[in-house]
Amino acid sequence: RQHDFVTRIEQQLLGRGVANISSLAGYAGGRKVGAGGRVCHYNSNESDVYATLGHAEAVQLIIPEGHVHDAAAVYFNGGFIQIGPDVWAREDYRDQGPAYRALIGLPGGIHSNLLEQVRRANVHNMSLQVGLGDDADTFGLNTVWVLDSNHFVFHQAEECLQFHDLQDPLPYSHAYKALRGELVRTRRIIPTGCPLPYDCEPVLID
C-alpha cells in the first residue's frame, strides 16, 4: 500500500514533490517493543520481530484531514479481494496470522472525528472494530481493527523495506524506488538499529 499511497494520494491528488512525501512502511498495533524501542522485520537473529511483539505491517501516511476519505478509499478499493459472499480479505491471502491483520490508525481511534470519512469509503461494508493492541488476525472475518494512533504509535520499518518492489510481474518505476535514497538523505527514513531483514539479505548462487 505504500506505493498506492505515494502515487495515488501524495503525488496525483495532493501534488506533492519528493520533499513532502510522508508514506513510510512499518509496524503498528502492538503493545510491546524490543530492546531500545526496536521493532524489526523477520531476521536471522530473530531479534525484536514485529509479529512476536504483537504488531502488524502498516503504512504511515500524513495528510490533511479533509483527504482521509480519499486515502481510505485507496485502502479499501486496492487492498482487499472477495473470498466469499459479503466477505472481503487482504489480497495477499497467503500471509496468515495477526502480523497481517487489517487495521487503520486514527487519532482517537474509533471515536475519532475522522471515522465518518473512513465509513463512507468502506465500500465492502467491512466491520470496523475497536483495536485494543495485539489483536487477532482478521482474515475471513470481514473486519478491520480501528486503533488510536496517539496510543499505538507507528514504528518505521528498515531502510531496505521502503519503496521496494512487491512480488509482482511488473516492477515499480525507478523514480518511485529512488524515493528511498532521497528520504534517507533528508533523514525522513532513519536507522532502526535492527538486523538486516531476511527479505533484504543477498541471494548467493553457486
Side-chain angles (χ1 to χ4, degrees), residues 5 13-14 23 30 69 89 96 117 124 126 150 166 169 194 206:
F5 286 148
L13 181 64
L14 299 178
S23 298
H69 174 269
Q96 293 291 318
Q117 293 189 58
H124 307 311
M126 301 180 75
N150 292 326
L166 297 180
C194 290
D206 294 330

Side-chain angles (χ1 to χ4, degrees), residues 5 9 12 19 23-24 33 41 52 56 66 70 79-80 85 95 110 135 153 173 176 181 196 206:
F5 286 148
I9 298 299
Q12 295 177 15
S23 298
L24 293 175
V33 296
H41 204 270
T52 305
D70 299 303
F80 298 95
D95 291 331
I110 203 77
D135 298 300
V153 299
S173 71
Y176 171 76
L196 190 68
D206 294 330

Side-chain angles (χ1 to χ4, degrees), residues 187-205:
R187 293 193 57 77
R188 281 171 288 158
I189 294 174
I190 60 175
T192 63
C194 290
L196 190 68
Y198 280 131
D199 290 357
C200 303
E201 290 179 349
V203 177
L204 302 178
I205 302 176

Side-chain angles (χ1 to χ4, degrees), residues 76-88:
F76 285 110
N77 286 315
F80 298 95
I81 59 173
Q82 190 169 15
I83 62 171
D86 300 319
V87 178
W88 295 78

Side-chain angles (χ1 to χ4, degrees), residues 99-138:
Y100 307 102
R101 63 192 183 268
L103 58 81
I104 292 175
L106 298 170
I110 203 77
H111 302 296
S112 174
N113 62 350
L114 303 174
L115 185 66
E116 182 55 33
Q117 293 189 58
V118 175
R119 291 191 192 279
R120 288 193 286 109
N122 184 8
V123 292
H124 307 311
N125 196 31
M126 301 180 75
S127 177
L128 304 178
Q129 298 291 326
V130 178
L132 300 176
D134 296 357
D135 298 300
D137 194 4
T138 54

